[in-house]
C-alpha cells in the first residue's frame, strides 16, 4: 500500500509492507543469505543495477528492506539503511563521510562510544575532530575549519538532556557546505524529525525506542537525498554492518506501537520528573518537560513532546545515587533505554566510563548524575518504587 500521504501511525503499521506470493498479512522473514537468479542474464542485470532483483543479503533482503522503507518513511527521508547495531550506523556514517585530513564537529555530551570510536579509531586514520557543547551555536561556529565536513549532533544529548537547535545548526553548517547528521535515538521519529528541520542524515539505535522491547540490538541511517543515501549504502555494503532478517522482523513488529509506548511513558516521565524536582534529597533534575530545563522553549518548538529520559543528581552525590540504584525494586539497574521497562543507570561508571573524567566534566556529565528511562508500567508503582528507594538514603 502507498502510505506516503498517510498519517504517522498508519505509516508505523503499514509503511514498507509489500505483497508476497502467499499474501502474508505481516512482513515475513526471508532468512536466506542468497537469492536464485532466473538465468545468467538476470544475474548479470541484477549486478549491473538494471534489474532490482535481490542478490545477497548483505546487499539487500526483502525483510530488511521493508524495515528500511518504513524508517525512511517515518523520518521523511529518501532512503533507509538498517545495520547490526546503532554503533554500526554511527561508524558507517563516519567512514562514508570522513577521511584523512577531514574534520568533524560533534556534540560533547554524546553517546559514549560515538565519541570513543572517533577518538580511538578514526583518529588513527587522520580524521580530526572537536567535541563541543552544540547547544550554543557559537561553539559550533568557532570550531568550523575549511576542512570541516560533518556536524554530528545528538539532541537531546546523552545523558545531559541538553538540546541543540537543529534548524539553526543546520543553517549554519550548510553555509559552510558541511553535512549535518543527527542521532535521533532519544526522541525517535515520533517526537522529532531532524530531516524536516534541515539535517541531511539521521542515525538511530533501533535497540532503544524504535524496537522498544529490549530484545534486539540494531541501528539505522536515513538520508534525505539520493546521493548521500547511495554513498553511505555502498560503505555499509563494503564494511558489512548489515542487519539480519530476523532482527529486522522483530524491529518491524516492535516499531508498530511506537506512538502508544511513547505517549504512555512520557506521561509518566513528566510526573516522575516533577516528583523528583520537588524531592528534598534531589539537587537538580534535567527533563525537557520541566520549566527549569534551560531549553524548555526550544524543546517545545523542536520536539512533539518531552520524551521519557530524565537525568538528575542527588544532594549527597554519587554515594546517595548508589543507594538509590541498589534499592529500586521495579526499575531495573541496567544500561540502554527506550524499552517498555523502566531502567536506571549511572553514566560516569557505566555508559560513559570510556570518556575521560576531564571530558565528562566538560560535557556536563557529573559523577553524581543518574539517568532514568521511563517505561510503560503503572505510574503509581514507579513512584512508589522511587519513593521507597529514596527513603533509604
Ligand atoms: C545506544 C545508543 C547508541 C548505540 O546503539 P547500539 O544499538 O547500542 O549500538 C547510539 N546513540 C545513542 C544515543 C544511543 O542511546
Amino acid at each position: 500500500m502507498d502510505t506516503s500521504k498517510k498519517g504517522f501511525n498508519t505509516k508505523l503499521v503499514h509503511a514498507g509492507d509489500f505483497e508476497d506470493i502467499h499474501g502474508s498479512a505481516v512482513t515475513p522473514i526471508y532468512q536466506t543469505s542468497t537469492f536464485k537468479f532466473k538465468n545468467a542474464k538476470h544475474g548479470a542485470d541484477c549486478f549491473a543495477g538494471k534489474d532490482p532483483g535481490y542478490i545477497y543479503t548483505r546487499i539487500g533482503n526483502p525483510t530488511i528492506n521493508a524495515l528500511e522503507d518504513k524508517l525512511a518513511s517515518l523520518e521523511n527521508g529518501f532512503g533507509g539503511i538498517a545495520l547490526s547495531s546503532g554503533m554500526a550506523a554511527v561508524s558507517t556514517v563516519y567512514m562514508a563521510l570522513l577521511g584523512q585530513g577531514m574534520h568533524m564537529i560533534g556534540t560533547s555530551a554524546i553517546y559514549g562510544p560515538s565519541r570513543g570510536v572517533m577518538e580511538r579509531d578514526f583518529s588513527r586514520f587522520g580524521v580530526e575532530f572537536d567535541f563541543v557543547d552544540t547547544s550554543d551555536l557559537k561553539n559550533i561556529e568557532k570550531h568550523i575549519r575549511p576542512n570541516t565536513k560533518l556536524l554530528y549532533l545528538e539532541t537531546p544529548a546523552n545523558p545531559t538532556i541538553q538540546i541543540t537547535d537543529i534548524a539553526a545548526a543546520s543553517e549554519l553548517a550548510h553555509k559552510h557546505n558541511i553535512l549535518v547528521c543527527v542521532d535521533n535515538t532519544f526522541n525517535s521519529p515520533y517526537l522529532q524529525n531532524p530531516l524536516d528541520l534541515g539535517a541531511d542524515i539521521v542515525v538511530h539505535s533501533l535497540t532503544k525506542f524504535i524496537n522498544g522491547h529490549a530484545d534486539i540490538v540494531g541501528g539505522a541511517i536515513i538520508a534525505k537525498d539520493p546521493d548521500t543515501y547511495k554513498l553511505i549504502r555502498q560503505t555499509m555494503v563494503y564494511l558489512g554492518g548489515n542487519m539480519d532478517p530476523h532482527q529486522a522482523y522483530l524491529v518491524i513488529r516492535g516499531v508498530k506501537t511506537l506512538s502508544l509506548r511513547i505517549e504512555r511513558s512520557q506521561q509518566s516521565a513528566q510526573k516522575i520528573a516533577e516528583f523528583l524536582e520537588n524531592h528534598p534529597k534531589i539537587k537538580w533534575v534535567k527533563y525537557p518537560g520541566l520549566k527549569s530545563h534551560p531549553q524548555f522553549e526550544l524543546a517545545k518548538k523542536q520536539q512533539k513532546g518531552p520524551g521519557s529520559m530524565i537525568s538528575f543528581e542527588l544532594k549527597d552525590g554519587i554515594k546517595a545515587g548508589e543507594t538509590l540504584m541498589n534499592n529500586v525494586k521495579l526499575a531495573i539497574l541496567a544500561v540502554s533505554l527506550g524499552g517498555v521497562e523502566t531502567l536506571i543507570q549511572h553514566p560516569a561508571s557505566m555508559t560513559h566510563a570510556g570518556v575521560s573524567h576531564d571530558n565528562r566534566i566538560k560535557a556536563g556529565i557529573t559523577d553524581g548524575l543518574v539517568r532514568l528511562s521511563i517505561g510503560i508500567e503503572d505510574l503509581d508503582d514507579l513512584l512508589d518504587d522511587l519513593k521507597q528507594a529514596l527513603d533509604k538514603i
Side-chain angles (χ1 to χ4, degrees):
M1 194 203 336
D2 177 16
T3 55
S4 56
K5 304 244 156 27
K6 301 277 194 263
F8 188 85
N9 291 295
T10 306
K11 288 181 180 176
L12 274 181
V13 179
H14 294 293
D17 280 1
F18 60 88
E19 295 292 325
D20 78 339
I21 56 167
H22 303 293
S24 303
V26 299
T27 304
I29 311 175
Y30 283 77
Q31 197 71 46
T32 180
S33 59
T34 194
F35 296 84
K36 282 184 205 167
F37 300 127
K38 294 180 193 112
N39 51 47
K41 178 167 185 313
H42 180 224
D45 285 349
C46 287
F47 268 95
K50 289 186 208 150
D51 188 296
Y54 289 102
I55 298 170
Y56 185 65
T57 281
R58 174 160 44 73
I59 304 171
N61 170 293
T63 314
I64 302 170
N65 287 14
L67 172 62
E68 292 172 332
D69 289 349
K70 195 189 282 291
L71 297 173
S73 158
L74 296 174
E75 286 286 16
N76 301 320
F78 170 80
I81 304 164
L83 298 101
S84 59
S85 71
M87 279 317 299
V90 173
S91 48
T92 297
V93 167
Y94 290 171
M95 189 63 107
L97 302 178
L98 298 167
Q100 182 161 30
M102 297 181 188
H103 175 247
M104 176 186 108
I105 301 172
T107 303
S108 53
I110 196 174
Y111 186 70
S114 301
R115 182 169 178 155
V117 72
M118 185 50 66
E119 291 176 339
R120 177 186 178 276
D121 296 297
F122 283 85
S123 62
R124 289 186 286 114
F125 301 109
V127 177
E128 300 160 15
F129 50 82
D130 283 298
F131 287 99
V132 303
D133 177 359
T134 52
S135 68
D136 184 348
L137 284 196
K138 286 196 225 73
N139 291 328
I140 301 177
E141 196 153 23
K142 248 190 346 222
H143 287 87
I144 291 176
R145 305 185 200 163
N147 60 341
T148 306
K149 299 289 176 201
L150 179 64
L151 174 63
Y152 185 91
L153 305 174
E154 193 173 308
T155 178
N158 184 4
T160 58
I161 325 288
Q162 195 82 351
I163 294 174
T164 297
D165 188 331
I166 298 174
S170 299
E171 204 184 307
L172 171 64
H174 289 158
K175 272 192 207 138
H176 298 266
N177 286 322
I178 299 167
L179 285 176
V180 179
C181 177
V182 177
D183 184 331
N184 200 24
T185 300
F186 264 41
N187 270 345
S188 92
Y190 179 65
L191 294 178
Q192 175 171 286
N193 293 120
L195 301 184
D196 292 349
L197 296 167
D200 305 287
I201 303 155
V202 166
V203 300
H204 277 290
S205 168
L206 303 176
T207 315
K208 317 295 169 53
F209 289 98
I210 289 187
N211 180 60
H213 293 76
D215 52 7
I216 62 102
V217 170
I221 303 163
I222 298 105
K224 184 150 73 183
D225 73 80
D227 290 344
T228 313
Y229 165 75
K230 281 182 203 143
L231 177 79
I232 301 175
R233 180 153 201 107
Q234 191 57 49
T235 301
M236 183 283 281
V237 168
Y238 279 161
L239 284 184
N242 63 282
M243 183 170 265
D244 174 82
H246 187 248
Q247 197 184 359
Y249 166 82
L250 288 170
V251 181
I252 290 170
R253 186 170 74 159
V255 75
K256 290 180 186 182
T257 55
L258 182 72
S259 305
L260 301 172
R261 286 185 277 107
I262 293 195
E263 277 303 330
R264 168 62 175 245
S265 61
Q266 81 175 352
Q267 255 173 32
S268 298
Q270 180 72 38
K271 294 278 187 283
I272 290 167
E274 287 165 10
F275 160 77
L276 291 172
E277 192 165 48
N278 292 318
H279 196 283
K281 289 181 182 168
I282 306 273
K283 191 154 127 196
W284 54 258
V285 180
K286 265 289 208 58
Y287 179 67
L290 294 176
K291 290 227 171 64
S292 58
H293 191 288
Q295 294 129 331
F296 176 72
E297 291 302 329
L298 173 60
K300 266 212 305 213
K301 189 178 92 183
Q302 177 164 288
Q303 308 184 181
K304 286 182 210 96
S308 40
M309 299 300 299
I310 304 170
S311 65
F312 61 96
E313 186 162 327
L314 287 130
K315 284 191 179 141
D316 289 334
I318 189 50
K319 274 276 161 283
E322 278 168 14
T323 308
L324 174 74
M325 287 186 281
N326 287 334
N327 283 286
V328 286
K329 296 196 169 77
L330 182 55
I332 299 171
L333 178 56
V335 299
S336 198
L337 56 113
V340 293
E341 46 289 284
T342 296
L343 305 180
I344 189 167
Q345 70 115 352
H346 176 234
S349 70
M350 295 172 188
T351 45
H352 292 69
V355 180
S356 72
H357 184 262
D358 247 24
N359 282 338
R360 271 204 312 269
I361 297 304
K362 268 191 225 143
I365 308 166
T366 52
D367 287 339
L369 188 153
V370 175
R371 193 185 78 183
L372 267 177
S373 170
I374 305 300
I376 63 168
E377 302 94 335
D378 283 300
L379 173 63
D380 286 346
D381 292 335
L382 291 172
L383 286 171
D384 286 348
D385 188 39
L386 287 168
K387 270 181 209 152
Q388 66 80 27
L390 284 163
D391 284 346
K392 303 264 164 53
I393 295 165

